[in-house]
Amino acid sequence: MQVRNMHLLKNDRGRRPAFGRFIRLSIVLLMVLALTGCGRKQTETSASSGEGGKTETGGPADGELQAVFFDVGKGDCILLSMGEDHVLLDAGYEETSAEITGELKTRGVSSLDAMIITHYDKDHVGGAAEIAEEIPVETFYLPDYQGEADKCADLISLIEREGIDSIRVNEMTQITLGQAQIEVDPALITYDVMLENDNDASLIIKIFYGEDEWLLPGDIEKDAIEIWLQENTQTFDILKMPHHGKKEGNTKELIKNVDPSIAVITDSAEDEANEKVLKQLDKKEVDVFQSSVNGTITITGDGSGKFDVTSEK
């Protein structure tokens, strides 16, 4: 097991200085940098590594918002926590559901206030039913279209059988998470079964807490990104790169539009993020964390513009 901790701060204009691509280097190099005092001004860096089994990770401290990007390969499963409130954003694969259930229990999550499914691809909805069988969910927030039966039938059957509250998101919907607000926006593009454009039909998630602003846009691709660029003027501190770091013709414009300090890419060693996307993020001096490199990534913010990032592989 390898664990890394980083502390990232915004600078005077509301952004913290970036490390650039060097954060994707090995733990050993980061430890050398930390020990020698190297690094950019106004940014504190620490690193540690451990041996043996997994470390039991507690939830966030009082007043902190935490997002755990579980390493499920090229897929999404993100635990959002504040205080005793927990929301699971997407659920990874059916094959990773037992691991995620174990992780949730280890972290003291005995129930979920909500589970949000951005779209009905197997790497986002595949583990939902199995996880919800073990960890009760108060409300499901689902895309407003009928997904393919082989991908979401188990989840829909569970919801109907157990009478669990579910909301088909066709307008902006807010969820309270402690002192934070989660905004679930409907898809920018209508799902078309003939086009199989479920990625572009993803729900778009925004999180607001104090000065901190997060954007998690599911797997949107070129067409939905284009609409986003036309409508959005807001910047965000943290961006989960859509579609696992795949390059689109307007990815560069998306990065410029969102202007993030930190980017998270949920990719895999077998299917890593596009190199040109990584270069575009590097050019904008964005701190990048990849599942393929960093494993499970935890970002914690206190609403003041400071973020602690821990990675465990």
Side-chain angles (χ1 to χ4, degrees), residues 123-154:
D123 57 326
H124 291 253
V125 70
E130 287 76 7
I131 294 170
E133 290 274 13
E134 297 289 330
I135 310 288
V137 177
E138 183 174 333
T139 306
F140 281 92
Y141 293 83
L142 306 173
D144 191 25
Y145 69 89
Q146 186 65 42
E148 297 178 32
D150 62 335
K151 297 177 180 178
C152 62
D154 289 347

Side-chain angles (χ1 to χ4, degrees), residues 215-251:
L215 176 64
L216 303 98
D219 275 359
I220 60 172
E221 299 182 292
K222 183 179 179 180
D223 290 345
I225 291 173
E226 190 60 38
I227 295 173
W228 172 268
L229 292 172
Q230 294 170 9
E231 297 180 352
N232 180 68
T233 58
Q234 183 175 2
T235 60
F236 292 83
D237 302 299
I238 296 172
L239 170 65
K240 185 198 79 72
M241 290 301 296
H243 206 187
H244 318 290
K246 177 185 176 183
K247 182 182 182 300
E248 300 290 349
N250 46 14
T251 300

Side-chain angles (χ1 to χ4, degrees), residues 7-311:
H7 309 287
L8 309 178
L9 295 165
K10 295 180 182 178
N11 62 20
D12 292 340
R13 70 182 184 91
R15 295 278 306 282
R16 52 92 205 98
F19 285 100
R21 287 280 307 282
F22 87 83
I23 60 173
R24 293 190 294 277
L25 299 178
S26 68
I27 296 296
V28 173
L29 178 57
L30 282 168
M31 291 182 68
V32 170
L33 289 174
L35 291 171
T36 57
C38 295
R40 291 185 181 268
K41 187 178 179 181
Q42 297 185 18
T43 303
E44 303 171 8
T45 307
S46 64
S48 62
S49 62
E51 298 178 355
K54 289 198 173 208
T55 301
E56 289 195 2
T57 306
D62 289 344
E64 291 183 339
L65 169 65
Q66 184 180 87
V68 181
F69 298 78
F70 291 114
D71 181 9
V72 292
K74 184 183 176 183
D76 281 10
C77 185
I78 305 160
L79 175 65
L80 307 171
S81 299
M82 190 168 193
E84 298 299 316
D85 294 349
H86 306 285
V87 171
L88 195 67
L89 174 57
D90 287 323
Y93 297 87
E94 181 179 359
E95 294 80 5
T96 61
S97 60
E99 178 183 353
I100 295 303
T101 299
E103 287 279 3
L104 294 175
K105 291 179 178 179
T106 295
R107 295 166 188 272
V109 179
S110 58
S111 64
L112 293 165
D113 297 276
M115 185 186 294
I116 306 168
I117 301 299
T118 58
H119 63 293
Y120 293 123
D121 271 353
K122 63 181 181 180
D123 57 326
H124 291 253
V125 70
E130 287 76 7
I131 294 170
E133 290 274 13
E134 297 289 330
I135 310 288
V137 177
E138 183 174 333
T139 306
F140 281 92
Y141 293 83
L142 306 173
D144 191 25
Y145 69 89
Q146 186 65 42
E148 297 178 32
D150 62 335
K151 297 177 180 178
C152 62
D154 289 347
L155 174 59
I156 301 304
S157 176
L158 173 69
I159 291 172
E160 293 175 351
R161 184 176 68 251
E162 300 296 332
I164 304 172
D165 288 341
S166 64
I167 296 173
R168 296 279 184 168
V169 179
N170 53 29
E171 61 182 359
M172 192 276 283
T173 303
Q174 287 191 329
I175 303 171
T176 298
L177 182 72
Q179 299 164 263
Q181 289 293 321
I182 300 174
E183 180 179 303
V184 185
D185 288 347
L188 296 170
I189 288 181
T190 301
Y191 175 71
D192 187 325
V193 66
M194 299 300 293
L195 296 176
E196 297 183 342
N197 61 342
D198 45 356
N199 286 332
D200 265 340
S202 294
L203 301 179
I204 294 177
I205 312 304
K206 304 170 186 174
I207 308 172
F208 303 100
Y209 176 46
E211 298 178 13
D212 302 346
E213 298 167 337
W214 309 52
L215 176 64
L216 303 98
D219 275 359
I220 60 172
E221 299 182 292
K222 183 179 179 180
D223 290 345
I225 291 173
E226 190 60 38
I227 295 173
W228 172 268
L229 292 172
Q230 294 170 9
E231 297 180 352
N232 180 68
T233 58
Q234 183 175 2
T235 60
F236 292 83
D237 302 299
I238 296 172
L239 170 65
K240 185 198 79 72
M241 290 301 296
H243 206 187
H244 318 290
K246 177 185 176 183
K247 182 182 182 300
E248 300 290 349
N250 46 14
T251 300
K252 181 178 179 180
E253 288 73 23
L254 176 68
I255 296 169
K256 181 180 179 181
N257 178 281
V258 175
D259 195 24
S261 300
I262 299 171
V264 177
I265 304 177
T266 54
D267 60 356
S268 67
E270 296 76 22
D271 198 351
E272 291 186 275
N274 185 278
E275 186 64 27
K276 290 184 178 179
V277 172
L278 298 177
K279 289 180 179 179
Q280 290 166 355
L281 289 164
D282 181 41
K283 188 173 182 180
K284 292 292 291 182
E285 295 189 326
V286 179
D287 288 325
V288 179
F289 294 86
Q290 296 173 248
S291 299
S292 61
V293 176
N294 307 107
T296 292
I297 299 155
T298 301
I299 302 178
T300 306
D302 61 4
S304 69
K306 174 183 176 181
F307 299 97
D308 291 344
V309 184
T310 301
S311 64

